[in-house]
Amino acid sequence: MFKVLVLGSAAGGGLPQWNCACENCRTARAQPGDPDFGRVKPRSQSSLAVTADGRRWVLLNVSPDVRQQIQDRPQLHPDAGTGPRHTPIAAAILTNADVDHSAGLLVLRESQPFRLYATQRVQGVLQANAIFNVLNPDFVPREAMALNIPFAVRDGAGEPLGLTVEPFAVPGKVALWLEQEEAGPDFGSVAEDTIALKVTHDASGKSFFYLPGLAEATAEFCDRIRGADLVFADGTTWTNDEMQARKLGWKTAARMGHLPMSGENGTIAALAPLGIGRKVFIHINNSNPVLMENSPERQTAEQEGWTIAEDGLEVSL
Ligand code: MLT
Ligand code: MN
Ligand code: ZN
């Protein structure tokens, strides 16, 4: 068995976002009986879970919504048969230090063993923030991942989980809360700030790519994912300026380190010629028109062969 579960498909803030009254967020608040109900499905913040055996799961990013995500997915409930305290979550891997990808670690306290992987850079950020010491180091070993070196993912006790992960840098930006204005246009970003993961199932050799942040589809990046069975790609925005156009903020997608879906150089166009088996957009911002069922943008994305992820989507390889 090689299974990926979408725990959270929205970008930072989720859908609806607590302080947002945009059309998507208003529609996502509709209740049963309301004519708008179901036109925009609520989504929690960005995270996947993957398993090689159906029993032990690896979280790819840990969102602030992880408590509810576990509650919503029986696969992640504790098994009473193994004693009073248990979790199927055996490891977690971070792709950056964004709030939507790391703050959920604070929820996973309580002296529960699992292994935590991130680049040295991101491990340094966690180390520098004493609040993450709620993850008792006696139970939660933290391991630095080196770029471009595949490794066997292991649980807290060191048992391999049947998955091999290769982390690699992609164009992106340091987490918003770590930006250094004085460092110039890249805000002090380094390669280890934004990574993608290639996850391989040891038993079958099948693999998928996970890239919740991608600022540019460079030739090197496209070569890496060419012919992949499955890609979960950054679906933050539809256009570069949609936050401005919808009066939700001044930042462009480029300023936030994200490549829009549409347009000549967008993700849909860039990945179209790469012969990818299945393409799924994740990390979708609440400003994105594809979130509205049957919107023209949604129809275009689907016609181009993309799935717009929802929480709970399962993909088996
Ligand atoms: C992003 O992906 O751009 C960040 O999650 C933004 C944020 O921290 O809200
Ligand atoms: Mn994010
Ligand atoms: Zn909104």
Side-chain angles (χ1 to χ4, degrees):
M1 164 187 289
F2 186 28
K3 195 177 263 191
V4 192
L5 186 55
V6 176
L7 300 183
S9 49
L15 174 69
Q17 177 172 308
W18 73 283
N19 64 342
C20 192
C22 78
E23 191 186 5
N24 280 342
C25 288
R26 279 186 283 119
T27 309
R29 290 187 188 101
Q31 299 297 314
D34 189 314
D36 276 344
F37 181 69
R39 289 180 60 225
V40 172
K41 293 186 183 140
R43 286 166 168 84
S44 65
Q45 293 170 85
S46 182
S47 176
L48 303 182
V50 54
T51 185
D53 59 15
R55 206 164 45 80
R56 299 171 301 170
W57 292 81
V58 179
L59 300 185
L60 306 182
N61 290 319
V62 190
S63 101
D65 300 322
V66 67
R67 183 185 167 281
Q68 189 62 40
Q69 291 169 344
I70 292 169
Q71 173 63 9
D72 290 344
R73 306 293 152 220
Q75 300 94 320
L76 301 183
H77 292 179
D79 176 358
T82 64
R85 287 282 163 93
H86 168 262
T87 177
I89 297 168
I93 306 179
L94 307 189
T95 62
N96 60 22
D98 280 3
V99 169
D100 54 345
H101 287 159
S102 63
L105 288 171
L106 302 178
V107 177
L108 302 183
R109 63 194 194 278
E110 313 297 3
S111 298
Q112 180 66 50
F114 69 94
R115 189 169 297 263
L116 174 57
Y117 295 93
T119 60
Q120 189 67 59
R121 164 85 158 183
V122 170
Q123 292 287 13
V125 169
L126 302 180
Q127 209 64 51
N129 281 269
I131 195 168
F132 288 106
N133 292 338
V134 296
L135 297 177
N136 184 339
D138 292 341
F139 294 87
V140 183
R142 299 184 189 182
E143 212 165 298
M145 307 184 289
L147 297 180
N148 306 312
I149 300 184
F151 64 93
V153 184
R154 296 178 297 139
D155 70 8
E159 281 298 310
L161 298 168
L163 299 167
T164 295
V165 164
E166 180 177 2
F168 59 96
V170 290
K173 181 184 71 60
V174 67
L176 173 61
W177 60 284
L178 296 168
E179 286 182 2
Q180 295 173 276
E181 286 290 343
E182 68 283 4
D186 65 358
F187 307 102
S189 304
V190 300
E192 286 199 352
D193 277 320
T194 310
I195 62 163
L197 304 174
K198 180 183 185 185
V199 182
T200 304
H201 182 231
D202 296 340
S204 66
K206 294 195 165 149
S207 62
F208 71 91
F209 289 85
Y210 173 51
L211 36 123
L214 179 75
E216 192 191 342
T218 58
E220 187 196 348
F221 167 78
C222 290
D223 281 344
R224 245 196 222 260
I225 66 163
R226 195 181 302 279
D229 293 328
L230 169 65
V231 173
F232 290 92
D234 181 345
T236 308
T237 71
W238 178 254
T239 53
N240 190 45
D241 67 352
E242 77 191 26
M243 299 266 294
Q244 294 168 342
R246 295 182 166 215
K247 299 197 173 7
L248 300 174
W250 59 270
K251 282 185 184 170
T252 60
R255 169 64 184 80
M256 297 188 292
H258 298 292
L259 182 66
M261 295 177 174
S262 69
E264 233 174 279
N265 303 312
T267 308
I268 291 174
L271 271 56
L274 302 182
I276 292 164
R278 180 147 190 211
K279 297 178 283 194
V280 182
F281 276 125
I282 39 102
H283 191 280
I284 306 161
N285 197 52
N286 54 67
S287 56
N288 193 322
V290 300
L291 290 165
M292 186 73 73
E293 308 280 328
N294 297 322
S295 66
E297 294 87 353
R298 169 69 150 260
Q299 288 174 20
T300 301
E302 289 177 348
Q303 280 156 12
E304 297 289 338
W306 285 83
T307 298
I308 305 302
E310 309 179 353
D311 296 9
L313 174 71
E314 284 186 30
V315 185
S316 292
L317 276 174

